[in-house]
């Protein structure tokens, strides 16, 4: 279970804000919501209920309010505890910055948490996908994602290059575009703290710090050093490092980013919780998702200290939008994570089991069907119906 302040027992209704999202967002939402509601009902009868409240963002918000991210939505999210969203579109190279990044930074959603586990029946490029059981904790607010960038030959880039050359004695080619990669001790520590806390709470055996500190010593290297400092100073009774006696404690170790990509493919069983800076974590979580059926199967949550904001980890899939072809599982399994986090574990477990059952029977959405023989392709809506029927 993702660590977060525990729900008070006896609270029967839980408010969840939702954003449908762009592209395939509305389709996966419409397929998933009935499954989430039915799972809660199956598990708890009328005793518990999700109280859904829509917030506008993205294209729907633009059409209805003239704004992509209305202040009203942000205000509600600032006071919320649980929210879930579909994907939001971002144009490449020009136009507004990513709404997702704005949401993460504005709401200080510093930890992006993505569990990667295998569902029986999903075709995987691995020989033993059942060995994949990892949770990636990706730092979400710092690193190159802060978006401090200056275009090639812009006055700002020229000034910066002159400053670097004249004041710091560093040569940068004229005409270079420049990006800045800020990473702080506080930002790194809180992410690693959360990852180790999660490992402790869930009985996971190790936390791996992923970094490229051999090259970027004062950013990624510092992430590694601060990560070990958190383990040593804040979890002295819980963690050990390489070479120390394990005795049931959490092994905190570090692996250089490129090597980790290889090892996670060859030896997935060696990794349990992985803590990574923003960009590494972004690449890694998609690559790991591919081991277990791709982005359509990968759930995730972005967390601040007060808000858990679940999201489908894929994008708007414009090639599939409006065609009733999308796989709703990423969104749905994010919802199942949310239920678990609320302490509604029984409902969450039923959803995971229904996903496993329906996939094993072989009636799946196109993205999963193309990967396997003898599968029946069903649309997003039908897939959702089959999941409701499979709930026990
Ligand atoms: P994408 O994830 O939308 O699509 C990549 C490929 O995966 C496409 O072929 C797509 O059809 C397929 N795919 C993705 N989700 C699927 C699903 N649930 N079922 C079946 N197939 C699925 O990535 P892309 O094309 O790079 O981005 C499209 C847009 O989405 C961009 O505007 C991008 O900025 C945005 N985006 C938003 C994210 C978010 O809101 N968290 C995350 C990633 C991208």
């Amino acid at each position: 279970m993702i660590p977060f302040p525990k729900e008070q027992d006896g609270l029967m209704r839980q408010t969840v804000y939702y954003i449908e999202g762009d592209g395939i967002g509305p389709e996966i939402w419409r397929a998933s919501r009935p499954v989430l509601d039915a799972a809660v009902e199956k598990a708890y009868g009328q005793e518990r209920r999700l109280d859904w409240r829509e917030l506008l963002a993205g294209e729907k918000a633009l059409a209805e309010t003239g704004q992509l991210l209305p202040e009203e939505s942000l205000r509600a999210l600032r006071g919320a505890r649980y929210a879930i969203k579909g994907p939001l579109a971002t144009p490449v190279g020009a136009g507004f910055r990513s709404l997702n990044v704005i949401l993460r930074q504005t709401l200080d959603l510093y930890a992006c948490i993505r569990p990667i586990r295998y569902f029986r029946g999903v075709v995987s490029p691995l020989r033993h996908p059942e060995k994949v059981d990892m949770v990636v904790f990706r730092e979400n607010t710092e690193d190159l994602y802060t978006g401090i960038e200056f275009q090639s030959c812009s006055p700002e880039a020229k000034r910066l290059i002159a400053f670097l050359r004249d004041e710091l004695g560093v040569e940068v080619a004229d005409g270079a575009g420049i990006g800045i990669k800020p990473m702080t001790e506080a930002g790194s520590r809180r992410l690693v703290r959360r990852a180790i806390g999660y490992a402790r709470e869930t009985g996971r055996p190790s936390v791996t710090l992923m970094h490229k500190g051999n090259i970027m010593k004062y950013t990624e290297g510092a992430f590694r050093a601060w990560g070990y400092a958190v383990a040593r100073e804040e979890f002295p009774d819980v963690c050990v490092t390489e070479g120390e006696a394990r005795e049931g404690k959490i092994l905190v170790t570090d692996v250089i980013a490129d090597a980790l990509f290889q090892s996670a493919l060859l030896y997935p069983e060696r990794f349990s919780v992985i803590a990574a800076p923003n960009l590494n974590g972004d690449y890694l979580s998609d690559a790991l998702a591919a081991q277990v059926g791709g982005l359509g199967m990968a759930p995730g949550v972005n967390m601040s200290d007060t808000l858990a904001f679940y999201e489908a980890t894929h994008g708007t899939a414009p090639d599939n939008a409006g065609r009733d072809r999308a796989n709703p599982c990423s969104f749905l399994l994010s919802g199942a994570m949310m239920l678990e986090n609320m302490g509604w574990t029984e409902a969450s477990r039923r959803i995971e089991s229904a996903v496993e059952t329906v996939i094993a029977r072989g009636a799946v959405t196109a993205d999963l069907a193309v990967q396997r023989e003898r599968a029946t392709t069903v649309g997003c809506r039908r897939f959702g119906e089959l999941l409701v029927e499979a709930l026990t």
Side-chain angles (χ1 to χ4, degrees):
M1 168 155 129
I2 303 297
F4 204 68
K6 291 273 188 334
E7 194 51 65
Q8 294 299 309
D9 275 342
L11 185 65
M12 299 307 172
R13 283 180 173 214
Q14 186 66 67
T15 299
V16 180
Y17 292 92
Y18 71 94
I19 293 170
E20 283 189 359
D22 302 326
I24 58 171
E27 296 162 58
I28 57 175
W29 155 250
R30 284 194 297 271
S32 299
R33 178 188 167 165
V35 187
L36 292 161
D37 286 335
V40 171
E41 196 183 332
K42 287 267 183 198
Y44 310 111
Q46 300 303 314
E47 281 177 18
R48 299 185 193 187
R49 219 179 73 190
L50 295 168
D51 188 3
W52 299 102
R53 301 204 191 158
E54 181 170 15
L55 298 177
L56 294 177
E59 287 159 12
K60 189 170 179 182
L62 191 63
E64 291 189 22
T65 68
Q67 287 176 304
L68 280 164
L69 187 55
E71 183 51 38
E72 204 181 321
S73 298
L74 271 179
R75 201 175 319 118
L77 287 167
R78 283 198 187 98
R81 181 146 169 209
Y82 298 106
I84 187 164
K85 64 178 271 296
L88 293 166
T90 312
V92 176
F96 60 88
R97 280 190 62 213
S98 161
L99 280 185
N100 297 303
V101 175
I102 292 171
L103 281 170
R104 286 170 199 168
Q105 289 179 354
T106 312
L107 299 167
D108 199 26
L109 299 164
Y110 64 87
C112 173
I113 305 167
R114 292 188 179 170
I116 294 110
R117 61 159 282 207
Y118 177 66
F119 284 91
R120 204 162 38 89
V122 171
V123 174
S124 161
L126 298 189
R127 259 178 305 162
H128 291 291
E130 70 283 356
K131 291 183 179 173
V132 177
D133 182 13
M134 305 178 212
V135 185
V136 176
F137 279 68
R138 165 192 173 199
E139 202 291 323
N140 233 0
T141 59
E142 303 196 329
D143 199 352
L144 291 169
Y145 270 70
T146 44
I148 308 170
E149 281 199 299
F150 301 101
Q151 195 173 8
S152 160
C153 298
S154 63
E156 294 84 0
K158 284 182 184 163
R159 275 182 71 188
L160 206 46
I161 289 169
F163 176 82
L164 290 168
R165 185 179 52 234
D166 300 341
E167 304 288 328
L168 302 181
V170 179
E171 271 311 319
V172 176
D174 285 330
I178 305 232
I180 304 231
K181 180 180 171 75
M183 286 171 59
T184 65
E185 177 167 6
S188 303
R189 273 184 175 256
R190 68 179 176 173
L191 186 272
V192 175
R193 184 177 302 125
R194 198 138 196 170
I196 297 177
Y198 171 81
R200 177 175 61 182
E201 188 165 310
T202 54
R204 285 185 169 260
S206 67
V207 174
T208 304
L209 306 169
M210 175 193 195
H211 63 91
K212 190 73 185 166
N214 53 332
I215 305 298
M216 292 169 273
K217 296 184 193 307
Y218 305 123
T219 49
E220 306 248 338
F223 176 85
R224 171 184 176 277
W226 290 323
Y228 276 122
V230 168
R232 207 171 42 245
E233 293 163 15
E234 301 182 28
F235 298 90
D237 303 331
V238 177
C239 295
V240 291
T241 50
E242 211 97 55
E244 294 180 295
R246 289 291 289 272
E247 291 164 357
K249 293 185 178 169
I250 301 164
L251 175 66
V252 178
T253 178
D254 74 280
V255 179
I256 289 177
D258 38 348
L260 196 147
F261 272 93
Q262 169 173 266
S263 299
L265 264 179
L266 294 174
Y267 318 108
E269 69 279 6
R270 289 186 189 169
F271 299 96
S272 182
V273 174
I274 299 173
N278 204 335
L279 188 62
N280 289 340
D282 188 20
Y283 296 151
L284 183 74
S285 42
D286 277 23
L288 294 181
Q291 299 185 358
V292 293
L295 290 177
M297 293 298 297
V301 59
N302 295 301
M303 284 196 169
S304 69
D305 285 329
T306 53
L307 170 66
F309 200 168
Y310 296 81
E311 69 170 352
T313 58
H314 51 73
T316 57
D319 49 339
N320 276 320
R323 301 174 67 190
D324 191 34
R325 284 166 53 97
N327 181 349
C329 282
S330 172
F331 190 93
L332 176 64
L333 291 170
S334 302
M337 271 175 84
M338 177 179 74
L339 293 173
E340 188 172 347
N341 189 9
M342 288 172 182
W344 298 13
T345 314
E346 187 50 36
S348 170
R349 196 194 57 70
R350 286 174 193 240
I351 292 174
E352 292 190 350
S353 152
V355 169
E356 198 146 66
T357 304
V358 172
I359 289 176
R361 284 181 191 153
V364 288
T365 45
D367 57 315
L368 298 178
V370 291
Q371 300 179 38
R372 53 192 270 186
E373 292 162 20
R374 288 193 296 281
T376 312
T377 304
V378 294
C380 179
R381 193 175 51 81
R382 181 69 193 132
F383 193 62
E385 289 167 358
L386 291 171
L387 288 165
V388 172
E389 286 163 22
L391 284 169
T392 51

